[in-house]
Amino acid sequence: MSKTAIITGSGRGIGAAIAKRLAADGYDIVINEVSQEALDTYGAQTAEECRASGVKAECCAADVSDYAQCEAMVKWAKDTFGTIDVLVNNAGITRDGLLLRMSEENYDDVIRINQKSVFNMTKLVGAVMLRQKSGRIVNLASVAGLYGNPGQMNYSASKGAIIAMTKTAAKELGSRGITVNAVAPGFIQTPMTDKLTDEQKAAMLAQIAMKRYGQPEEIAGVVAFLCSDDASYVTGQTIEISGGLSM
Ligand code: NAP
């Protein structure tokens, strides 16, 4: 029987690379974006690229910070594909600024979209996986959640929370054959990091042992491993993928 993966925020960037990699590994794919406009602009193209691997791929617009919209998406995915075998909580945003200049709105938005979304989707898909007695959940954390980062009080809080949520979910769901892990990327070339200044990018590069930025496919490969049979006894872990940024 075919298996299905939902990847949140997967129209572009790391999420799109994960979707295409899991499609190549034989999963039917749910591409999610916050709006129909985003799906029309780049999500549909990503779905098309997934279908080139001979699997099904469908798009679903839902704001993952909104519980009711997540509930509708998970119900639609279950009705459409029959099972949900993999959940990748990838959607995320940055609203950077030094602490004393950070607005309350920018703090709350990042916590809601990066962190509450993981609660929403893990609870809803976790219920499906509990009934199936199997499943793989992979969360996108960040090196900022492990070590902190100036200008990212909101983002590092959300990513640190995701690491703690990964361990809690792993402990709650493990006895039913469900693994929950996280990856913590360093600097990966995507629309999210494109908006940093050349000065910020150069400062980051100086700290990377491998002296190059990461590519979305290098995150997708580790996520695919965590979803594979080879990772059947790995749970509650956070794997750093940063080219040696933080040694
Ligand atoms: P990205 O290019 O900005 O992609 C993020 C995706 O999430 C976008 O498609 C975005 O939609 C979507 N999204 C945002 N809010 C959403 C919502 N409320 N509901 C549904 N989808 C939503 O970022 P990325 O670099 O690929 O990052 C992917 C994940 O990796 C994020 O969790 C990020 O924090 C994490 N990460 C990235 C890096 C890096 O260096 N790039 C490093 C560490 C961790 P729109 O296209 O409409 O904005």
Side-chain angles (χ1 to χ4, degrees):
M1 201 171 103
S2 60
K3 290 187 167 190
T4 306
I6 300 182
I7 305 99
T8 67
S10 48
R12 60 180 181 174
I14 293 170
I18 293 169
K20 287 185 261 181
R21 172 59 197 263
L22 291 179
D25 289 351
Y27 289 88
D28 291 334
I29 299 293
V30 176
I31 300 286
N32 157 253
E33 273 294 333
V34 65
S35 64
Q36 190 58 47
E37 188 191 350
L39 285 176
D40 293 344
T41 313
Y42 35 78
Q45 172 66 30
T46 303
E48 197 54 46
E49 288 168 25
C50 290
R51 284 184 209 111
S53 291
V55 299
K56 293 182 198 146
E58 299 292 342
C59 295
C60 185
D63 176 350
V64 287
S65 71
D66 183 295
Y67 189 81
Q69 291 187 40
C70 291
E71 203 167 23
M73 175 164 66
V74 172
K75 184 179 181 315
W76 168 85
K78 180 81 171 66
D79 291 348
T80 305
F81 291 100
T83 64
I84 303 174
D85 304 282
V86 166
L87 166 65
V88 183
N89 284 308
N90 166 81
I93 62 165
T94 49
R95 296 285 184 271
D96 295 353
L98 291 173
L99 173 58
L100 297 189
R101 292 197 201 127
M102 184 176 287
S103 68
E104 188 181 0
E105 187 187 8
N106 280 351
Y107 185 83
D108 288 345
D109 282 352
V110 168
I111 297 298
R112 196 169 42 79
I113 292 170
N114 293 9
Q115 180 187 331
K116 185 175 174 247
S117 62
V118 175
F119 166 77
N120 292 343
M121 289 301 292
T122 306
K123 177 177 159 128
L124 289 160
V125 176
V128 175
M129 290 176 171
L130 278 171
R131 284 194 291 277
Q132 291 171 183
K133 296 192 175 60
S134 68
R136 297 295 167 92
I137 300 174
V138 183
N139 297 323
L140 269 287
S142 166
V143 290
L146 288 166
Y147 310 109
N149 196 27
Q152 292 197 314
M153 177 67 98
N154 48 5
Y155 186 80
S156 53
S158 72
K159 296 300 185 179
I162 286 172
I163 292 167
M165 292 163 91
T166 298
K167 293 175 188 170
T168 297
K171 287 182 178 182
E172 288 198 20
L173 304 177
S175 67
R176 304 292 279 273
I178 301 162
T179 69
V180 189
N181 291 289
V183 293
F187 188 111
I188 311 302
Q189 277 183 313
T190 69
M192 179 178 276
T193 46
D194 283 348
K195 60 190 176 198
L196 295 176
T197 64
D198 288 345
E199 204 177 26
Q200 287 171 316
K201 289 179 191 170
M204 196 64 83
L205 190 60
Q207 297 174 53
I208 300 172
M210 295 185 77
K211 296 297 168 217
R212 66 173 179 85
Y213 305 120
Q215 297 304 314
E217 293 71 23
E218 294 179 293
I219 306 302
V222 179
V223 172
F225 161 70
L226 289 169
C227 297
S228 73
D229 289 344
D230 287 337
S232 55
Y233 203 51
V234 181
T235 198
Q237 304 306 303
T238 298
I239 301 180
E240 186 174 324
I241 314 165
S242 68
L245 174 68
S246 49
M247 288 182 289

